[in-house]
Amino acid sequence: MAVLAAALMTRHVFEYALLRVVPRVERGEVVNAGVIVYCRAVDYLGARVHLDAARLHALDPGADHEAIARVLDAVADVCAVAEAPRSDRRTDGALAAVGPAAGEDIGRRFRRLTAPRSTVVQPGPVHTGLTADPAAEADRLLRELVLPL
């Protein structure tokens, strides 16, 4: 029982959302293309992305694979930038490369990235779980929910 309690104490609540590609919004068909993971307890925000071109083109042969991949990469870049110091929230250097949202704290960034929208790249609903390693959790979610079987 003590071992179980110790294991649970090292686990932290995390939140995640899938990144979905909806090449033709009017049809509502989706391809899972990434995952965003946020763990407040350890100040972690990360994204893993993978766009399967064959799946995308099966839904829409005219979809611009490269443009969609750039959007997914931009989401990953916003997640990867370290939080700016509280005394300097200006967007310069690495922060400017990914826009003003990167100057926000990571919780706010996660909420911005997971806000519902009607675009080709959309976040799915936010789910929660427990993890001891949010980065490893992001890798696991990518394998289980995004990568081809």
Side-chain angles (χ1 to χ4, degrees):
M1 187 70 164
V3 173
L4 177 61
L8 290 175
M9 288 176 43
T10 62
R11 295 171 66 187
H12 305 286
V13 173
F14 75 97
E15 299 174 77
Y16 74 94
L18 281 171
L19 291 172
R20 306 177 301 186
V21 174
V22 187
R24 295 179 60 191
V25 175
E26 68 277 8
R27 291 181 60 109
E29 299 167 327
V30 302
V31 175
N32 290 344
V35 64
I36 304 170
V37 173
Y38 169 57
C39 183
R40 180 179 178 185
V42 296
D43 290 327
Y44 177 84
L45 178 63
R48 305 291 187 274
V49 297
H50 171 81
L51 181 57
D52 187 323
R55 286 183 181 181
L56 175 63
H57 289 128
L59 295 182
D60 184 0
D64 187 344
H65 173 266
E66 292 177 6
I68 294 168
R70 283 193 300 272
V71 171
L72 292 167
D73 289 341
V75 170
D77 290 346
V78 167
C79 291
V81 172
E83 188 173 332
R86 294 248 178 243
S87 62
D88 183 14
R89 289 290 189 183
R90 294 184 322 243
T91 54
D92 55 355
L95 294 175
V98 293
E104 297 173 331
D105 65 70
I106 61 173
R108 191 170 196 161
R109 256 188 279 166
F110 177 75
R111 300 286 172 242
R112 181 183 301 275
L113 292 170
T114 58
R117 58 184 58 96
S118 181
T119 59
V120 173
V121 176
Q122 300 178 5
V126 174
H127 303 280
T128 60
L130 293 172
T131 187
D133 183 350
E137 196 68 37
D139 293 335
R140 182 189 71 79
L141 289 168
L142 182 75
R143 280 191 312 275
E144 290 187 11
L145 303 175
V146 176
L147 296 177
L149 299 175

